[in-house]
């Protein structure tokens, strides 16, 4: 834990990638210990794809038959960079559990409104809230995750996402 550098007037609503409720959740059905972080690791709080041919998980979609899930914060990320105070990255080779149902906190760069669909960027797994499929940008396309936004968020803030 790093040195405290600021004080919040209000308590934070949550941490990206964490459960947003105690409702039931559901994980991708893969073999025990089969899903491991790929070459670039896996960022928590984003969507990721499990490649059944290689057993690797990546925030980028690498194959047409890869399965999508949400990378939840379950204390598997490590601080590996010198002077880094926190990390949301699961290093290469570490086990990854992907969730395809449940309630989670996700950070929306462009903000989010209740009821919008959650789309995942196929290049980095980041979330995007929209009423319909966003157009491809800079080579990245988006896929419908089946999740919906369950709380409002300003640009760059956290919102709840849900899927059952």
């Amino acid at each position: 834990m790093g040195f405290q550098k600021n004080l919040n007037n209000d308590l934070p609503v949550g941490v990206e990638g964490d459960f947003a409720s105690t409702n039931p959740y559901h994980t991708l059905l893969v073999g025990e210990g089969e899903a491991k972080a790929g070459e670039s690791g896996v960022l928590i709080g984003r969507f990721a794809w499990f490649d059944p041919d290689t057993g690797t998980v990546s925030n980028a979609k690498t194959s047409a038959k890869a399965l999508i899930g949400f990378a939840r914060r379950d204390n598997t990320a490590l601080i590996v960079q010198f002077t880094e105070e926190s990390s949301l990255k699961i290093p290469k080779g570490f086990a990854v559990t992907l969730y395809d149902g449940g309630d989670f906190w996700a950070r929306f760069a462009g903000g989010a409104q209740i009821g919008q669909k959650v789309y995942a960027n196929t290049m980095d797994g980041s979330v995007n809230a929209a009423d319909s499929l966003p157009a491809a940008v800079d080579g990245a396309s988006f896929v419908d995750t089946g999740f919906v936004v369950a709380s409002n968020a300003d640009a760059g803030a956290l919102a709840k996402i849900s899927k059952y």
Side-chain angles (χ1 to χ4, degrees):
M1 175 175 278
F3 292 106
Q4 184 172 354
K5 296 177 181 171
N6 57 18
L7 294 172
N8 295 324
N9 290 329
D10 301 311
L11 291 174
V13 294
V15 176
E16 61 192 291
D18 213 351
F19 284 127
S21 75
T22 56
N23 288 334
Y25 55 86
H26 190 263
T27 61
L28 285 181
L29 188 58
V30 299
E32 184 175 333
E34 183 179 4
K36 303 217 181 302
E39 192 66 37
S40 300
V42 174
L43 289 175
I44 293 169
R46 294 183 178 200
F47 284 90
W49 284 264
F50 169 71
D51 186 336
D53 292 335
T54 63
T56 59
V57 178
S58 171
N59 289 113
K61 186 175 182 179
T62 56
S63 117
K65 62 180 178 180
L67 305 171
I68 188 170
F70 187 76
R72 186 184 79 84
R73 186 176 84 92
D74 59 0
N75 297 324
T76 52
L78 292 179
I79 297 172
V80 294
Q81 297 293 324
F82 181 67
T83 70
E84 193 175 46
E85 294 183 356
S86 62
S87 174
L88 290 174
K89 186 174 188 176
I90 300 172
K92 174 188 173 186
F94 278 60
V96 178
T97 301
L98 295 178
Y99 292 77
D100 60 357
D103 301 329
F104 303 96
W105 288 103
R107 188 170 304 280
F108 289 86
Q113 298 295 316
I114 293 174
Q116 288 183 310
K117 292 182 176 181
V118 177
Y119 296 93
N121 182 318
T122 58
M123 299 294 283
D124 62 9
S126 61
V127 294
N128 188 326
D131 295 323
S132 60
L133 185 64
V137 178
D138 296 332
S141 60
F142 297 90
V143 296
D144 187 352
T145 63
F147 281 81
V148 295
V149 175
S151 66
N152 294 326
D154 295 330
L158 295 173
K160 296 175 187 175
I161 62 172
S162 180
K163 179 183 173 186
Y164 287 100

